[in-house]
Amino acid sequence: MEQILAKTKFADPSSDKKPLIISGPCSAETEEQTLATALALAKTGKVDVLRAGIWKPRTRPGSFEGIGTKGLPWLQKAKELTGMPVAIEVATAKQVEDALHFGVDILWVGARTTVNPFSVQEVADALRGVDTTVLIKNPINPDLELWIGAVERIQKAGITKVGLIHRGFSSYGNTDYRNAPMWHLPIELKRRMPGLPMICDPSHIGGRRDILQEIAQEAVDLDYDGLMLETHVDPDNAWSDAKQQVTPERLAEILDGIVWRHERTDRKDFNTALEKLRAQINQIDDEILQLLGNRMKVAEKIGMYKKENNITILQTNRWNEILDRGIKKGEKLGLTKDFVLKYFDAVHLESINRQNHVMNDDQKA
């Protein structure tokens, strides 16, 4: 990982180095397709690591589930021809063994594996005593503790070169994404584990080509340490995930269109102005917290009145009134409806908890 990260801004946040770029086909389908894609990516000069799916866990049987071990020599040859390290997904001890036997440089634990601690432990046990790089994708469901648990299992196996891949989370209903990014979750994980590089996978988040650059730009703006994008020499005829793959030439255009930013600068005028604005934010946050504390005290008083009069905590008409009022007021202040709803949901839940405590304190005692 050290040699690979030396090429990226993760090694020096103040430098002009760009994040790590991992790219290649969703699936290694044939030797010809794998090598053609690898050579085309190498020609762009923009890719650090070649990726390809060898074993593909699918939702339903009957779909293409990967070429299997026979594809590993193709990656070995691609590595020899391009000089790029190669990365694949592994989910079992046998897959780990086979990958290492054929000189795979980077292994990643997929979202369907991360969600199962038993499977992660099997991979971790197979890696004991091995000096390699392991990247861990977020679990399919939005569970930060599962993601952290997978990291800890791999680290306890003695693996020191560990990174993270954010590929989005499953969510109910129709969204603009194949897998909702839920950016707050990887941001929180970066806060808890600041020493681990975080790579974004726009292909699996977006699920379609037209929004890949938009997602990649947001990841870069959030100071991610790399991007993983799926490429194929003939994406329309890919055997898996055709809609989210692009040609190597289109990949180069996407990367050229991204504005690469720094985490910090040494410019004194910028830092002075930023600190003044941050001081204002701190003061406003303090005032907001004070007001929220006062609001909860009022909610507790309301809970007492409800208790004395045998009135239920939830008052649906009142809750609808609060939401309608808040959305209209928020729009006038330039706040999005989505933000206002999330804010009031959080405040309402805390108010209910406070009132519940007040109304049932005697029973608990």
Side-chain angles (χ1 to χ4, degrees):
M1 179 73 88
E2 288 85 0
Q3 292 180 344
I4 296 171
L5 287 177
K7 303 177 182 179
T8 75
K9 75 186 185 75
F10 185 76
D12 181 4
S14 64
S15 75
D16 290 328
K17 296 174 184 176
K18 296 179 180 178
L20 181 72
I21 303 300
I22 302 173
S23 191
C26 174
S27 301
E29 301 163 357
T30 66
E31 182 174 7
E32 180 182 10
Q33 168 254 3
T34 302
L35 296 180
T37 304
L39 290 169
L41 287 173
K43 187 177 179 180
T44 69
K46 299 179 182 296
V47 177
D48 301 297
V49 178
L50 174 67
R51 61 141 289 154
I54 297 296
W55 302 280
K56 300 295 296 180
R58 311 305 292 177
T59 301
R60 299 178 64 180
S63 302
F64 176 61
E65 296 186 323
I67 205 69
T69 306
K70 66 179 287 187
L72 291 173
W74 307 343
L75 289 181
Q76 196 175 44
K77 188 172 182 179
K79 178 179 176 180
E80 293 172 358
L81 292 173
T82 65
M84 288 191 292
V86 295
I88 67 169
E89 177 180 346
V90 292
T92 68
K94 182 63 166 59
Q95 291 174 3
V96 171
E97 179 184 338
D98 288 346
L100 296 176
H101 176 74
F102 282 95
V104 174
D105 302 278
I106 300 173
L107 308 178
W108 80 77
V109 178
R112 297 172 189 269
T113 304
T114 305
V115 79
N116 187 338
F118 292 105
S119 297
V120 175
Q121 191 60 55
E122 179 182 344
V123 171
D125 291 341
L127 288 167
R128 292 189 186 279
V130 175
D131 181 23
T132 192
T133 298
V134 180
L135 305 176
I136 303 170
K137 285 196 172 185
N138 62 260
I140 293 176
N141 51 309
D143 188 331
L144 201 59
E145 298 307 318
L146 266 180
W147 201 359
I148 293 173
V151 171
E152 292 172 342
R153 288 176 187 276
I154 297 298
Q155 288 177 328
K156 286 183 178 180
I159 301 298
T160 58
K161 294 174 287 187
V162 178
L164 304 161
I165 301 176
H166 170 216
R167 50 83 75 193
F169 303 86
S170 293
S171 59
Y172 182 76
N174 296 322
T175 70
D176 291 333
Y177 306 98
R178 177 182 178 184
N179 295 289
M182 300 186 187
W183 297 104
H184 63 287
L185 291 176
I187 288 172
E188 172 61 14
L189 189 51
K190 280 171 67 73
R191 185 189 70 80
R192 294 198 203 179
M193 296 182 156
L196 298 185
M198 176 77 77
I199 294 167
C200 182
D201 179 351
S203 300
H204 279 88
I205 290 176
R208 63 180 206 266
R209 298 168 199 153
D210 62 306
I211 58 174
L212 294 181
Q213 185 163 338
E214 170 191 327
I215 297 166
Q217 183 66 66
E218 184 156 5
V220 170
D221 291 346
L222 291 173
D223 199 37
Y224 277 58
D225 305 297
L227 300 172
M228 177 184 278
L229 290 154
E230 293 185 346
T231 52
H232 193 292
V233 286
D234 186 12
D236 287 333
N237 292 303
W239 296 2
S240 59
D241 290 347
K243 293 181 179 180
Q244 67 191 40
Q245 298 190 70
V246 295
T247 63
E249 294 75 22
R250 175 56 186 150
L251 173 74
E253 293 174 356
I254 290 173
L255 296 177
D256 284 339
I258 293 174
V259 179
W260 306 100
R261 309 186 195 278
H262 305 297
E263 182 182 4
R264 55 179 179 267
T265 179
D266 293 330
R267 283 181 50 192
K268 290 184 178 180
D269 57 337
F270 170 83
N271 289 326
T272 299
L274 187 63
E275 286 305 311
K276 288 182 179 179
L277 292 172
R278 284 174 171 171
Q280 291 180 37
I281 288 289
N282 289 343
Q283 181 178 347
I284 293 170
D285 284 343
D286 289 344
E287 292 172 1
I288 290 173
L289 290 173
Q290 182 65 49
L291 290 172
L292 285 172
N294 293 340
R295 190 188 193 285
M296 294 308 155
K297 290 178 182 177
V298 174
E300 289 175 354
K301 290 182 179 179
I302 290 174
M304 287 298 300
Y305 284 122
K306 289 178 179 177
K307 179 180 180 179
E308 292 170 359
N309 292 276
N310 282 331
I311 302 297
T312 59
I313 293 176
L314 180 61
Q315 301 286 306
T316 304
N317 289 337
R318 170 58 178 161
W319 175 227
N320 288 333
E321 177 188 330
I322 290 174
L323 288 180
D324 290 341
R325 183 174 179 274
I327 290 170
K328 291 177 182 177
K329 182 70 174 178
E331 287 177 349
K332 293 180 180 179
L333 296 172
L335 302 176
T336 66
K337 179 180 178 180
D338 183 58
F339 171 76
V340 171
L341 288 174
K342 288 178 180 177
Y343 163 76
F344 275 109
D345 277 342
V347 170
H348 190 229
L349 180 60
E350 179 66 11
S351 295
I352 287 175
N353 290 338
R354 294 291 187 100
Q355 291 187 32
N356 184 62
H357 179 76
V358 168
M359 295 180 73
N360 297 291
D361 191 45
D362 292 342
Q363 296 179 12
K364 293 178 182 178

